[in-house]
Amino acid sequence: MLVIENLFADIGSKSILKGLSLTVNAGEVHAIMGPNGAGKSTLAKLLAGHEDYLVTGGSVSYRGEDLLAMPTELRARSGVFLGFQYPVEIPGVSNTTLLKAAVNAKLKHEGKPEMDAGGFLAFVKQKVKQVAMEPKMLQRGVNEGFSGGEKKRNEILQMLVLEPTLMLLDETDSGLDIDALKVVADGINALRGPERATVLVTHYQRLLDYVKPDFVHVLAGGRIVKSGGPELALELEEKGYGWLEAA
Amino acid sequence: MNFFDSCRNSLPQDQHAQRIDAFARFEASGWPTPALESWHYSDWSSLAEKPFNIAKPALDPVFAPDRAQPLALVALDPVQTATSFALDALNRAFAKQGVDKTIDGHAQIPFLITHALAGEQVMRHLRHRLALSAGSRATVVIWDAPGIDDSDTLLTAVLTLTLAAGSHLTLIRVQDADARATRAMHLKAHIEADATLEMIQLDFGGARVRQETEITLAAPGARFEQTGLAALTGKSRVDQRSHVWHAAPRCISRSSARLLAAGSSRAILNAKVQVQPGAAKTDSETRIASLLLSDKAEIDAKPELEIYADDVQCAHGATFGQLDEDAAFYLRSRGLSAAEAQSLLTQAFAQTALDRIPLPGLKNWVEQRVSTLLVANAA
Ligand SMILES: Nc1ncnc2c1ncn2[C@@H]1O[C@H](COP(=O)(O)OP(=O)(O)O)[C@@H](O)[C@H]1O
Ligand SMILES: [Mg+2]
């Protein structure tokens, strides 16, 4: 589904990704771990289409298409979803407005008719329940005044509503209490399936107890320096990253 | 034929001597230019080359958004106080009519004053007087309506307002003039003890627009609350000047303006608060936020504060920005096009002003107006 080959990317004059390769097949869950500043968020935002990053080498294909040639919104409509490490607050644009515009953009892209207001509301309400959010938060500005945990729940809500094909979750588990962590994990698991794939950027084994990864990778110095099975996460938790970077 | 020659002979017959005198004064001073201290940014001297005819009486267009009760125009009282308006003498020379109304009690339905004009190179001049008696309450909408044929028109209006003790006026000015129109309005308000003037100023159109507001908070507890939104496109140019005098202790003024400029439009706002000697415990805040939607547009926003009293609390500030790129990326990462993201974020910028509009129909209308204007701009 996602094939990243020898990717190099800069921000400003600084090179961040330095020959990163990663293949994610449909049905798989990959966890990416690694020290702060390694380039994990850079990778996630670059895949979502952020224009601050300049790709200087390599390629990314998504379902056989050149992902890097697609504008951000087209990636989203084609099923790429990024759960942001730091979701922005957008006062004046309500969560409902965003969800409705996002769903309709996707339906339109798929050549399907827009949802009617009633159907949309019922659909969203059910998802809101799933992430244990207060329904009245839908009327608030996007993430406006939300706590860290509420912002992450809101990311999961958007993901559940959009039903993406490729889920990229950047530290969605950071700073969550156990209840919120379960909500996030349940959300991811609810969408898990043979047609979909998930890439979890995380620092903690904790999330991986709830969402069992097929593969665990270590991203350090702008590359994947080690890959393994779920046991690698346990090993990292125990030993840290120092032993890998030295190698 | 230039402006002065074209209309010298069309001065109304009543109070003819005063009109001739006023016209001569206006001709001597001429159309305002940046040479005038308060006209830094606007030059109307080219109007001197343009003839205008007096508009023929016509039916006002219907104000659709909300139910409102039109205020009748009446013949002007011959005694008129001059104002600091640079077009005061012009207005005085031609104005024959205006609203002259004293509001008592609590008016349930908003009153409406319509400023409308139709026809090419026609002009109209109005002079209104509104008074609220002690303890009364009302909402007044002044609607500067678009014409039917996007013509070149000129309208000046002077409004004198007196708010007696404890009264409350919500004054909503909707300026939606045609793209080639010239509009100038001078508002002079005198606010007595514990009275409140809540003003909402919405500007969408006009080639050449000047809005002047002079507020005197004359007695303790007087209050002025202003919310402004200018959403400009094309070649529209709106120059606003507001001056608030805190002339008594314990008065409050709040001013919050949002300026949006797209196309090659230009928004100018000079908001000055002056705290006069003895106006202790003054509480004043002025905030201006500007958003440029095109690199050909321009915004000049300047809050000013002059304090000649002790023990006051005054704040002012102006922020200036482009759209938040992180927010735009976030919206696009959810599938919204760049144009949709821009439109939503711009609407969001305007929303704090829109939320203050107390008439639901008008609020809805303005929301639509802002969003269509932005869609047209994005295209
Ligand atoms: N806008 C930026 N300008 C310059 N450097 C940046 C910018 N954003 C991130 N970086 C740098 O890029 C590197 C990778 O950052 P990031 O991808 O956020 O790391 P991670 O998510 O793995 O902690 C860091 O050294 C960070 O300081
Ligand atoms: Mg990160």
Side-chain angles (χ1 to χ4, degrees):
Chain A
M1 175 179 294
L2 178 72
V3 182
I4 305 172
E5 279 180 336
N6 203 25
L7 188 63
F8 287 80
D10 297 354
I11 182 154
S13 57
K14 190 172 173 186
S15 80
I16 313 281
L17 300 183
K18 301 165 192 167
L20 186 142
S21 297
L22 178 70
T23 298
V24 178
N25 296 307
E28 294 176 351
V29 173
H30 291 243
I32 296 181
M33 306 179 84
N36 287 327
K40 303 182 299 294
S41 292
T42 299
L43 174 65
K45 286 200 266 181
L46 186 152
L47 293 176
H50 202 290
E51 281 145 14
D52 281 356
Y53 305 103
L54 180 68
V55 173
T56 57
S59 66
V60 181
S61 85
Y62 168 66
R63 298 204 292 195
E65 283 184 69
D66 179 3
L67 186 73
L68 301 177
M70 293 158 75
T72 301
E73 54 269 37
L74 194 57
R75 299 183 198 195
R77 293 171 199 166
S78 311
V80 177
F81 180 91
L82 169 62
F84 285 80
Q85 182 175 2
Y86 303 110
V88 291
E89 298 195 18
I90 315 181
V93 176
S94 76
N95 288 296
T96 307
T97 301
L98 168 58
L99 288 172
K100 201 173 208 164
V103 166
N104 284 334
K106 186 172 180 235
L107 289 172
K108 194 172 166 198
H109 177 72
E110 292 167 349
K112 295 178 186 157
E114 293 194 351
M115 268 189 179
D116 66 88
F120 172 79
L121 210 65
F123 172 69
V124 168
K125 279 211 171 122
Q126 176 214 332
K127 305 292 177 189
V128 166
K129 208 167 176 183
Q130 212 172 327
V131 296
M133 257 168 71
E134 290 277 342
K136 68 171 189 288
M137 289 176 90
L138 283 174
Q139 303 318 316
R140 298 236 306 255
V142 173
N143 295 319
E144 187 181 359
F146 284 23
S147 70
E150 286 168 342
K151 285 180 183 167
K152 298 300 176 73
R153 276 178 212 247
N154 202 21
E155 295 292 285
I156 296 299
L157 170 67
Q158 292 170 16
M159 186 178 86
L160 289 170
V161 167
L162 289 171
E163 302 176 329
T165 307
L166 175 64
M167 296 171 271
L168 309 166
L169 298 170
D170 189 2
E171 296 203 30
T172 305
D173 57 328
S174 290
L176 297 186
D177 62 32
I178 195 72
D179 290 338
L181 183 74
K182 275 189 183 146
V183 164
V184 167
D186 288 348
I188 299 167
N189 287 327
L191 287 179
R192 217 171 156 167
E195 305 300 321
R196 296 200 173 95
T198 308
V199 177
L200 302 170
V201 172
T202 181
H203 279 300
Y204 309 103
Q205 166 60 32
R206 209 168 61 136
L207 175 67
L208 305 180
D209 288 339
Y210 295 99
V211 185
K212 203 111 200 89
D214 300 298
F215 301 94
V216 175
H217 311 274
V218 180
L219 200 170
R223 295 185 306 125
I224 301 292
V225 295
K226 190 168 178 65
S227 298
E231 72 290 343
L232 178 58
L234 293 166
E235 197 177 348
L236 290 167
E237 185 124 296
E238 199 177 307
K239 298 205 246 171
Y241 302 111
W243 60 285
L244 285 165
E245 283 175 291
Chain B
M1 184 141 35
N2 72 23
F3 177 79
F4 295 100
D5 295 335
S6 78
C7 56
R8 195 185 321 279
N9 297 324
S10 49
L11 288 169
Q13 285 309 310
D14 65 301
Q15 303 171 43
H16 201 62
Q18 284 121 304
R19 293 184 188 278
I20 289 172
D21 177 53
F23 189 74
R25 272 185 285 128
F26 182 63
E27 190 169 5
S29 59
W31 286 96
T33 69
L36 285 178
E37 199 209 323
S38 66
W39 281 71
H40 284 311
Y41 293 102
S42 296
D43 187 346
W44 286 19
S45 56
S46 66
L47 286 170
E49 303 310 317
K50 200 182 263 203
F52 279 95
N53 296 311
I54 292 176
K56 297 197 173 61
L59 276 183
D60 282 339
V62 175
F63 179 74
D66 292 276
R67 194 153 78 97
Q69 184 182 333
L71 286 171
L73 298 178
V74 297
L76 278 193
D77 186 329
V79 184
Q80 291 290 333
T81 39
T83 67
S84 66
F85 192 23
L87 304 175
D88 195 77
L90 170 67
N91 179 276
R92 183 70 191 95
F94 287 99
K96 280 178 71 176
Q97 287 187 309
V99 166
D100 193 352
K101 167 97 179 161
T102 300
I103 295 167
D104 304 302
H106 287 201
Q108 301 297 327
I109 300 170
F111 294 110
L112 176 68
I113 301 174
T114 301
H115 290 169
L117 264 177
E120 186 65 13
Q121 283 183 243
V122 296
M123 64 175 181
R124 191 175 186 199
H125 304 276
L126 295 161
R127 215 166 169 102
H128 309 300
R129 192 156 56 189
L130 268 179
L132 269 82
S133 16
S136 64
R137 268 187 102 86
T139 297
V140 173
V141 177
I142 301 178
W143 180 40
D144 207 324
I148 35 175
D149 46 7
D150 190 20
S151 44
D152 183 355
T153 57
L154 164 65
L155 188 141
T156 73
V158 173
L159 168 61
T160 313
L161 261 182
T162 346
L163 272 68
S167 63
H168 187 123
L169 175 65
T170 302
L171 181 66
I172 305 172
R173 295 158 71 181
V174 187
Q175 188 277 109
D176 191 23
D178 289 335
R180 293 163 63 217
T182 300
R183 295 286 182 271
M185 174 146 169
H186 182 89
L187 163 69
K188 187 177 171 63
H190 182 91
I191 307 176
E192 283 294 340
D194 301 316
T196 298
L197 173 59
E198 193 181 335
M199 193 166 102
I200 295 166
Q201 168 82 45
L202 307 163
D203 280 278
F204 301 110
R208 235 180 254 101
V209 176
R210 171 81 172 184
Q211 308 272 20
E212 299 183 356
T213 307
E214 289 186 358
I215 308 289
T216 304
L217 298 167
R223 193 178 169 104
F224 175 59
E225 284 176 33
Q226 185 174 28
T227 303
L229 170 67
L232 310 180
T233 49
K235 294 190 176 129
S236 199
R237 191 181 178 108
V238 173
D239 179 349
Q240 292 176 282
R241 189 177 172 84
S242 103
H243 198 149
V244 179
W245 282 272
H246 278 261
R250 287 189 291 103
C251 295
I252 297 173
S253 63
R254 292 276 175 276
S255 181
S256 155
R258 303 249 142 178
L259 308 174
L260 266 169
S264 50
S265 66
R266 188 157 175 202
I268 297 148
L269 173 57
N270 184 293
K272 184 167 173 176
V273 172
Q274 193 171 322
V275 183
Q276 299 193 317
K281 303 249 185 286
T282 284
D283 178 357
S284 170
E285 189 177 327
T286 302
R287 301 280 171 215
I288 307 173
S290 302
L291 182 59
L292 274 178
L293 293 175
S294 129
D295 50 14
K296 286 193 283 248
E298 194 176 323
I299 298 177
D300 301 280
K302 188 173 169 202
E304 278 185 82
L305 198 48
E306 281 178 18
I307 304 176
Y308 304 105
D310 296 326
D311 189 18
V312 299
Q313 195 178 332
C314 294
H316 68 171
T319 61
F320 206 85
Q322 254 80 30
L323 285 179
D324 180 348
E325 283 183 17
D326 288 336
F329 176 65
Y330 189 88
L331 296 175
R332 291 178 63 202
S333 81
R334 300 304 182 239
L336 281 67
S337 69
E340 268 179 293
Q342 176 177 6
S343 164
L344 275 183
L345 291 174
T346 311
Q347 189 100 27
F349 174 84
Q351 198 63 41
T352 44
L354 299 180
D355 285 342
R356 299 294 295 270
I357 301 173
L359 306 179
L362 180 64
K363 177 166 183 261
N364 198 13
W365 179 87
V366 173
E367 279 172 356
Q368 298 298 325
R369 186 78 178 75
V370 171
S371 83
T372 50
L373 180 146
L374 297 169
V375 169
N377 179 58

